[in-house]
Amino acid sequence: MIIDGKKVSDKIKSELKNKVYKLKEGGIVPGLAVILVGNNPASKIYVKNKQKACEEIGIQSRQYLLDEKTSQKDLLELIEHLNKSTQTHGILVQLPLPSHIDEFTVAQAINAEKDVDCFNASNVGKLILDKSNLLPCTPAGIIELLKRYHIQIQGKNCTIVGRSNIVGKPLALMMLKENSTVTICHSKTLELENFCRQADILISAVGKQKTIKADMVKPKATVIDVGINRNSEGKICGDVDFSGVFPKAGFITPVPGGVGPMTIAMLMKNVICAAELHLSSPLD
Ligand code: GUN
């Protein structure tokens, strides 16, 4: 069965619309500031999709499109300005950043309550302790998909391929919180196929097409594909050899139309959550 991330994300966005409406009734217009430095073509598309989602549900989105050569100091000043702005509840700096800018320093500059990506050390620390209000968007989107399709997580073997700070590592923590038994694999893992074959839930977040082939998948497993790659024909594809794996899997996410739209829906959820938190502890 194909997991329809677009359909689920549309449902979530329509649920969130009501929350935005209620916030507006209370005089709060949730606001998201999106900063893009440079001209990375994929980043431009992601930023556009985030803006479109904001418009759909009534969040005010402000875009800051900065030149590739923008200094780290100027970027930090902009973040400081947005940290103080009472109309901005969420701040997102699209990654990757140009090499002269340090991603960690930038993530640390964002006020933790406005860190809707959940990238800064304070929020990652809270995530480990199960105390974070804001959850990282892609991992949260994956768990939401599993829950909405009634796929059992508790007690299941979950293998995650990829150990990035954005997906693999936080996802492992969150699947652990859901009581699955988690294995994290990476580029230096020996005999990757053996770990994959044990998985009831197999999640690939590598960024390399055909990483997961049919003989690596346990029959009836749930296969979640986080990859966004381009194949030799220039078409978007995931990490999973979809046509080979589909007949063997119980559930599988397509690319596009699987995890991607869920990431954006969870970002919207975080912006609204940040605005609600602001209601209970206004900065001004
Ligand atoms: N680049 C790729 N994925 C993401 C994401 O989830 N957030 C940000 N800020 N940049 C990204």
Side-chain angles (χ1 to χ4, degrees), residues 46-61:
Y46 299 148
V47 164
K48 213 167 104 190
N49 288 340
K50 288 168 188 177
Q51 185 181 18
K52 203 169 134 242
C54 285
E55 281 165 10
E56 248 179 274
I57 67 170
I59 291 174
Q60 193 167 86
S61 121

Side-chain angles (χ1 to χ4, degrees), residues 46 50 92-96 117 119 138 166 263:
Y46 299 148
K50 288 168 188 177
L92 180 150
V93 180
Q94 187 67 31
L95 301 181
D117 268 322
F119 283 173
T138 300
I166 299 185
T263 297

Side-chain angles (χ1 to χ4, degrees), residues 111-257:
N111 179 324
E113 287 173 10
K114 298 189 178 191
D115 174 30
V116 284
D117 268 322
C118 195
F119 283 173
N120 81 29
S122 147
N123 284 329
V124 175
K126 283 185 184 166
L127 182 69
I128 292 184
L129 301 170
D130 296 336
K131 296 283 183 219
S132 187
N133 291 310
L134 302 169
L135 296 172
C137 303
T138 300
I142 291 168
I143 289 176
E144 192 70 29
L145 268 185
L146 295 173
K147 289 187 174 171
R148 294 207 182 211
Y149 274 83
H150 306 290
I151 295 165
Q152 193 182 333
I153 306 176
Q154 178 160 312
K156 298 295 179 185
N157 290 337
C158 172
T159 298
I160 298 168
V161 188
R163 55 177 157 178
S164 68
N165 291 338
I166 299 185
V167 183
K169 282 192 245 177
L171 179 60
L173 289 170
M174 291 165 72
M175 290 299 280
L176 193 60
K177 181 164 186 244
E178 298 294 332
N179 298 319
S180 76
T181 302
V182 180
T183 304
I184 308 178
C185 300
H186 48 80
S187 54
K188 304 291 186 292
T189 297
L190 302 178
E191 296 176 9
L192 173 68
E193 57 280 7
N194 289 343
F195 294 104
C196 292
R197 263 185 230 120
Q198 286 172 20
D200 303 301
I201 301 171
L202 176 58
I203 306 173
S204 183
V206 171
K208 191 163 169 267
Q209 61 171 307
K210 302 214 167 132
T211 301
I212 307 296
K213 300 189 192 73
D215 64 352
M216 300 164 78
V217 175
K218 180 174 172 175
K220 300 258 174 285
T222 296
V223 180
I224 305 289
D225 193 344
V226 189
I228 303 178
N229 315 300
R230 278 192 197 272
N231 66 16
S232 51
E233 294 152 23
K235 264 180 65 181
I236 299 277
C237 68
D239 292 348
V240 177
D241 173 18
F242 187 88
S243 58
V245 172
F246 171 69
K248 201 164 176 190
F251 289 91
I252 186 166
T253 61
V255 177

